[in-house]
Amino acid sequence: MNDFAELLDRLAFEPRRNAKLRLMEDFFRTTPDPERGYALAALTGGLSFRNAKPGLVRALIAERTDPVLFALSYDYVGDLSETVALMWPPPSQAGTGHNAPPPRLADVVEGLSMAAKTELPGLLARWLDALDETGRWALLKLITGALRIGVSARLAKTAVAGLGRVDPNAVEELWHGLTPPYEPLFAWLEGRADRPEGLVVAPFRPPMLSHPLDEEELSRLDPAEFCAEWKWDGIRIEAVRELTPEGRRIVRLYSRTGEDITGSFPDLCEALIAENAFVGALDGELLVLRGGRVESFNVLQQRLNRKAITPRLMQEFPAHIRAYDLLGEGEEDLRPLPFAERRRRLEALVARLAGGRVDLSPLVPFVSWEELVAARARPGEAGAGIDAEAVEGVMLKRRDSPYVPGRPKGLWYKWKHDPHLVDAVLMYAQRGHGKRSSYYSDYTFGLWRSGPEGEELVPVGKAYFGFTDEELKELDRFVRRETVNRFGPVREVVHTGERGLVLEVAFEGVQQSTRHKSGVAMRFPRISRIRWDKPPREADRLDYLAGLLPRGETMKTRAGKT
Amino acid sequence: MQARDILSLTPAGLYCPLADVHIDPLRPVPRALITHGHSDHARAGHGAVLATAQTLAIMAARYGEGFCGTAQAVRYGEAVTLGPVRVTFLPAGHVLGSAQILIEANGLRIVISGDYKRVGDPTCAPFEPVRCDVFITEATFGLPVFRHPDVVGEIDKLLHSLTLFPERAHLLGAYPLGKAQRLIALLRQRGYDRPVYLHGAMERLMQLYGELGIALGDLRKVEPGSRESLGGAVVLCPPGALQDLWARRFPDPVAAFASGWMRVRARARQRGVELPLVVSDHAGWDELCATIRETGAGEVWVTHGEEEALVHWCTREGLAARPLNMLGYGDDEAEAEAVAEPSA
Ligand SMILES: [Zn+2]
Ligand SMILES: [Zn+2]
């Protein structure tokens, strides 16, 4: 897999989209089957190795290195796979010096799928011995599922499409009928075989995405040309139901990136199988509904995070689809039709559904932008009713917009709620990972509360982005200068009423948490401003966060030190 | 008498009271021994300076002829007596003229490594291991993740990229003293005989290397207004220039950077490097460990870099070891920025 490792290494450093495409296309053109097919699977996230967990990698390196040196190295590099790839001792040094050839990617894929769990450490160690540093890095990234080289599945498919000069969407629509190493796909693209039709049942259709909007841009648009919907705080889902020529009813659920997530929602899948009025493809939001009410994202997450899908889980967190678009019906592709027309067809379809698992995302009525601004500010009074807490803004869609995959300009907009802001005090800092491993870039911040000995700061969250590179340097300097304590990689920085640093933190909401000493966890916190000017004493209090908790959630604070 | 009585740590750096000299002092002192010409080790403004002829030439080229009160050149291996102390400079293999300094007093042998590397370098004399009682080693790359690969492979990465993207200018960031000259020499050894272009900040030292007998082939200035036409060329520049406006005038430039730091991907990404080449003028981890063993020293003092890890390793080897925690010595990176600024 040396060629593939080199490709990955090069891709990870290449910022230009076109150069990335060129590197990949060149690789696919010059690498034989099945190696390139497995590479394509790796780049599109289509390979997963159940048994290769970071713990295994840690165990292997622990057998071969001094624990202190490993800890110092890992702290410096900030990335487990890379640390292990760099530190792995040469085989002669480890005493297993035989000159095995480096494994091909195909060997790795096949080897891992066949190997029993107990054989895995030995197998992996032999491969690591045979590979060079780049090869080891790529292998470890691959099997721990953390490739992250700035190549999306879409870009990889675009590069493959380039082999046959076809539209990337043509590859996308065949995709779910294909399996690694994709030999029929390459054969078609190279003109050696026909398009592999008929393999795909219930294909994924790449979703249409929106652009963010602010109030100023809004004023330049004509309200008469747009429809508005609530922007739901769930996850985007595409539901496809088809009949095979033999009359079998097939349902597939896809995430917005085209990942097949049918297996995670047997309840939804079963309900859709029974919906005989529906043959086609729906676009909508996956939500948990209980007692006719949309639950918060926090509740949805409790379902998403669970690996085992038990009947109890499905009963406790029933999955629903709130539909907002219809992409196909029967044999007909509706995507070229204007939004208003698709909406009419969608409404008619949802009215025919019987099971109650799919409902319609209502339109938000408005004539002027002022009315929409008001609706966005108070969704509960503008039609969202009891579901208002699950609304995170509004979507604007041009009435005449066709359904265009990707993020076309000028058709759809999302207008999110403004984030909450809080002034918090920096308490601890830790070295970042990846690009920031040499800076103190992970910040734990706290808010004031009354403690047994008077006012005290309690940590409420962590943020590691939102600042510029310049600000990062200043923050890093502050941390190094104002350190009062060190605990391993963590530095405690000064935080008294008089001395310390106030950070303005933006976040999307809060939820209760038993893991945090404060009893609350912020969603999506990031640094929005550094308040060099503000004395820590004037930072905000914990009560402010408590007031933002969704209904029914309370703060179970833990007192004292942990 | 102990090593600590012969060498002590002062705000100006290591100091030998018996001879009244500082080694690589950070601020002006009456008498200084200088290991090599990098600006964090060789500063201007001392009274008397003892160093190799090449190091003195480098200092003169950088700071002007009056960079110190009096300068005395010393040859590798030649012993100089300073009161009760004998001082000998020995090759360190780091850059042209770089030396380790052996200090002998009261029957103790102490070696100050300066910066050093063990792999061959066509532009300077190779490191000579010296037996000693106390070894004061640098630890710039003092973590086991720094295992520098074969330089030929790294040079070939650049040559490969030149064939893959023949229309793009390849800007190669490198420290102007030592690394830049070594890279050109390595390119020449791999058969690259086209002109190599130089950023203005590279010229003076490049010329000095020529005068000191290091032949580097066809070197050319990047003439004003010529950048647009340098597609497919190799252009050497200080690392700081890679992100400058200056770099953007080249045709679709590839930002390459040759440094031991490029071993860690995050470092390369931080600097916006697209083609990292792992070429180091400092010893990597395995070289550091091997060198410490070779010196036979029973006591090791560790200075600039990742001191903690190397001290831990020494302790596990049964050696007495301590970190010096001296501030002010960089990894030559400060050097690169410093050179980029003042020279017009
Ligand atoms: Zn140096
Ligand atoms: Zn140095």
Side-chain angles (χ1 to χ4, degrees):
Chain A
M1 59 176 288
N2 278 333
D3 290 348
F4 179 56
E6 259 169 52
L7 173 72
L8 292 182
D9 199 34
R10 195 72 208 270
L11 286 172
F13 286 112
E14 178 55 69
R16 294 169 182 75
R17 185 176 179 277
N18 283 338
K20 280 185 206 269
L21 281 173
R22 203 155 128 190
L23 287 164
M24 283 191 283
E25 227 188 285
D26 186 57
F27 173 85
F28 290 130
R29 214 180 285 286
T30 55
T31 308
D33 289 320
E35 192 74 354
R36 60 178 172 177
Y38 287 118
L40 178 59
L43 289 166
T44 52
L47 296 178
S48 75
F49 306 109
R50 274 171 302 127
N51 295 324
K53 295 284 177 285
L56 168 66
V57 179
R58 278 176 188 269
L60 283 175
I61 196 71
E63 286 168 18
R64 287 163 175 78
T65 53
D66 175 277
V68 174
L69 294 179
F70 175 75
L72 288 168
S73 298
Y74 184 30
D75 179 51
Y76 183 89
V77 175
D79 179 285
L80 180 65
S81 299
E82 189 174 349
T83 310
V84 172
L86 289 166
M87 280 187 86
W88 191 263
S92 56
Q93 207 175 310
T96 56
H98 49 78
N99 281 341
R104 295 175 310 146
L105 182 56
D107 299 331
V108 171
V109 173
E110 282 156 23
L112 284 177
S113 70
M114 312 274 271
K117 203 164 180 177
T118 49
E119 298 168 332
L120 207 55
L123 191 60
L124 190 51
R126 277 201 302 285
W127 287 335
L128 291 170
D129 281 344
L131 288 163
D132 62 10
E133 190 279 333
T134 307
R136 289 193 292 266
W137 168 78
L139 175 65
L140 292 170
K141 284 281 167 191
L142 191 64
I143 64 171
T144 53
L147 217 45
R148 268 179 243 131
I149 44 154
V151 170
S152 61
R154 176 74 182 177
L155 196 66
K157 290 172 197 165
T158 306
V160 171
L163 286 188
R165 299 179 191 286
V166 303
D167 188 303
N169 285 324
V171 173
E172 201 76 80
E173 291 182 11
L174 288 172
W175 191 251
H176 284 281
L178 303 169
T179 48
Y182 308 109
E183 285 175 30
L185 175 70
F186 285 106
W188 166 56
L189 291 169
E190 290 177 342
R192 293 182 283 112
D194 288 338
R195 186 165 193 264
E197 303 282 357
L199 291 170
V200 209
V201 183
F204 169 65
R205 292 151 175 90
M208 176 161 174
L209 306 171
S210 58
H211 288 269
L213 180 82
D214 58 35
E215 222 164 324
E216 197 209 307
E217 289 170 275
L218 189 67
S219 63
R220 290 198 289 267
L221 303 175
D222 177 1
E225 288 177 343
F226 285 87
C227 290
E229 295 164 7
W230 301 119
K231 181 167 178 11
W232 298 103
D233 196 4
I235 62 168
R236 185 87 175 260
I237 192 169
E238 187 177 313
V240 189
R241 185 179 182 283
E242 273 188 12
L243 296 174
T244 63
E246 313 85 61
R248 248 175 358 110
R249 298 173 294 181
I250 303 282
V251 166
R252 293 241 191 289
L253 303 172
Y254 296 107
S255 73
R256 60 180 276 172
T257 54
E259 197 189 336
D260 187 337
I261 51 172
T262 318
S264 304
F265 301 97
D267 47 344
L268 196 51
C269 184
E270 201 178 306
L272 287 169
I273 291 268
E275 293 285 7
N276 287 324
F278 168 43
V279 174
L282 278 174
D283 185 8
E285 199 83 359
L286 182 85
L287 299 164
V288 165
L289 254 73
R290 288 195 288 213
R293 159 142 75 187
V294 180
E295 293 290 353
S296 70
F297 190 77
N298 183 22
V299 174
L300 173 61
Q301 241 175 350
Q302 293 173 49
R303 162 125 195 201
L304 298 177
N305 291 345
R306 226 63 73 78
K307 283 220 181 76
I309 313 297
T310 61
R312 178 147 175 235
L313 181 74
M314 292 188 284
Q315 202 182 354
E316 208 179 327
F317 303 102
H320 283 71
I321 294 177
R322 191 145 278 191
Y324 37 68
D325 218 321
L326 187 59
L327 313 186
E329 203 173 18
E331 297 282 282
E332 192 184 355
D333 185 355
L334 303 186
R335 290 174 293 177
L337 299 180
F339 173 78
E341 177 60 16
R342 295 199 308 277
R343 174 82 197 180
R344 207 179 51 70
R345 299 274 294 263
L346 176 69
E347 286 173 6
L349 170 70
V350 173
R352 292 198 304 274
L353 299 181
R357 285 285 186 149
V358 178
D359 62 10
L360 194 64
S361 182
L363 293 179
V364 181
F366 71 99
V367 176
S368 66
W369 291 135
E370 289 70 34
E371 280 176 50
L372 188 68
V373 169
R376 171 175 167 274
R378 295 181 180 282
E381 291 160 30
I386 53 172
D387 295 336
E389 272 179 24
V391 167
E392 57 164 5
V394 290
M395 297 293 303
L396 283 175
K397 298 180 176 175
R398 271 189 76 102
R399 289 173 188 281
D400 60 1
S401 58
Y403 194 93
V404 186
R407 209 184 291 275
K409 288 217 172 76
L411 299 180
W412 287 11
Y413 298 98
K414 58 181 169 199
W415 187 23
K416 296 230 260 185
H417 287 324
D418 300 328
H420 300 285
L421 294 175
V422 71
D423 282 336
V425 182
L426 177 62
M427 298 177 72
Y428 305 95
Q430 193 170 351
R431 277 174 189 266
H433 274 201
K435 185 176 160 186
R436 282 162 165 172
S437 55
S438 59
Y439 291 107
Y440 284 87
S441 65
D442 290 14
Y443 308 110
T444 301
F445 46 84
L447 295 176
W448 293 105
R449 72 169 173 195
S450 320
E453 286 147 41
E455 288 294 275
E456 62 174 15
L457 280 166
V458 56
V460 292
K462 253 188 178 193
Y464 45 91
F465 65 101
F467 34 80
T468 63
D469 285 355
E470 219 26 66
E471 287 172 326
L472 171 61
K473 283 185 196 155
E474 290 171 8
L475 285 165
D476 180 69
R477 231 173 285 139
F478 177 85
V479 169
R480 288 172 198 271
R481 204 177 55 226
E482 302 291 340
T483 299
V484 291
N485 248 320
R486 301 178 69 154
F487 315 95
V490 178
R491 285 180 180 225
E492 179 176 4
V493 295
V494 64
H495 51 265
T496 64
E498 294 69 41
R499 282 191 59 206
L501 182 60
V502 176
L503 302 171
E504 184 183 274
V505 178
F507 58 102
E508 297 304 311
V510 290
Q511 55 199 49
Q512 69 181 25
S513 161
T514 47
R515 271 185 312 152
H516 290 73
K517 198 160 103 177
S518 62
V520 285
M522 293 161 129
R523 281 189 52 203
F524 205 50
R526 65 269 184 196
I527 311 286
S528 68
R529 249 187 329 156
I530 306 171
R531 300 294 306 265
W532 299 105
D533 56 310
K534 197 161 187 169
R537 187 170 301 292
E538 291 171 24
D540 286 313
R541 303 183 56 81
L542 184 60
D543 313 337
Y544 171 71
L545 289 192
L548 300 175
L549 281 171
R551 116 202 88 76
E553 294 187 8
T554 54
M555 248 183 354
K556 295 190 186 70
T557 44
R558 286 186 282 141
K561 296 204 156 55
T562 45
Chain B
M1 182 171 266
Q2 289 196 339
R4 284 171 204 235
D5 303 319
I6 297 170
L7 274 182
S8 61
L9 208 52
T10 71
L14 278 174
Y15 175 64
C16 176
L18 299 178
D20 186 28
V21 287
H22 284 83
I23 296 94
D24 289 349
L26 296 160
R27 49 181 82 158
V29 298
R31 286 145 58 84
L33 312 180
I34 305 291
T35 59
H36 69 287
H38 279 141
S39 57
D40 50 335
H41 293 258
R43 292 167 199 263
H46 305 307
V49 167
L50 184 62
T52 63
Q54 292 102 324
T55 297
L56 293 174
I58 289 164
M59 291 175 81
R62 295 196 137 165
Y63 305 125
E65 288 300 332
F67 68 91
C68 67
T70 56
Q72 184 188 340
V74 60
R75 281 192 309 275
Y76 288 134
E78 171 196 356
V80 176
T81 305
L82 302 172
V85 176
R86 240 161 69 107
V87 171
T88 315
F89 283 58
L90 296 143
H94 176 54
V95 297
L96 185 61
S98 66
Q100 318 169 63
I101 298 176
L102 166 66
I103 291 181
E104 295 168 282
N106 291 77
L108 266 185
R109 289 163 63 85
I110 304 177
V111 169
I112 298 155
S113 75
D115 292 344
Y116 67 100
K117 70 171 174 291
R118 301 302 303 272
V119 295
D121 178 340
T123 65
C124 68
F127 181 94
E128 274 177 30
V130 192
R131 303 285 297 180
C132 56
D133 302 297
V134 179
F135 186 51
I136 304 179
T137 182
E138 66 137 323
T140 304
F141 292 116
L143 275 176
V145 294
F146 291 110
R147 293 235 203 74
H148 310 317
D150 179 20
V151 284
V152 172
E154 300 302 295
I155 294 297
D156 286 354
K157 272 191 206 167
L158 174 63
L159 296 174
H160 180 67
S161 182
L162 284 163
T163 29
L164 202 66
F165 297 104
E167 75 289 2
R168 299 173 70 180
H170 285 61
L171 306 188
L172 178 52
Y175 310 135
L177 171 57
K179 185 67 62 61
Q181 294 78 13
R182 182 180 175 208
L183 288 169
I184 300 174
L186 289 168
L187 275 166
R188 300 304 185 209
Q189 283 184 349
R190 292 300 288 160
Y192 186 81
D193 53 11
R194 294 168 53 194
V196 171
Y197 291 84
L198 304 177
H199 181 282
M202 290 282 177
E203 288 169 29
R204 198 165 29 156
L205 286 166
M206 209 58 82
Q207 199 189 338
L208 179 68
Y209 263 60
E211 286 162 17
L212 295 174
I214 311 287
L216 297 170
D218 188 354
L219 305 180
R220 299 187 191 176
K221 258 189 189 167
V222 175
E223 298 291 349
S226 72
R227 281 173 286 183
E228 292 81 353
S229 66
L230 291 179
V234 174
V235 183
L236 270 169
C237 63
L242 286 176
Q243 308 306 335
D244 277 358
L245 222 56
W246 173 84
R248 290 186 214 150
R249 282 285 178 78
F250 291 92
D252 197 10
V254 177
F257 184 18
S259 161
W261 297 114
M262 296 297 103
R263 184 86 273 195
V264 172
R265 289 175 172 80
R267 284 278 184 153
R269 247 171 270 134
Q270 233 163 44
R271 303 195 68 127
V273 174
E274 293 150 21
L275 185 63
L277 305 179
V278 188
V279 180
S280 170
D281 281 339
H282 293 269
W285 174 259
D286 294 333
E287 297 166 71
L288 291 169
C289 297
T291 305
I292 290 170
R293 285 200 182 113
E294 250 176 290
T295 62
E299 189 175 338
V300 179
W301 299 358
V302 183
T303 167
H304 56 306
E306 298 292 324
E307 302 172 345
E308 203 177 340
L310 201 57
V311 167
H312 172 80
W313 180 87
C314 289
T315 311
R316 293 223 344 178
E317 291 283 301
L319 305 173
R322 66 164 177 140
L324 290 187
N325 293 321
M326 283 194 294
L327 298 175
Y329 297 99
D331 52 30
D332 309 334
E333 234 170 293
E335 151 104 359
E337 322 297 344
V339 173
E341 283 163 30
S343 65

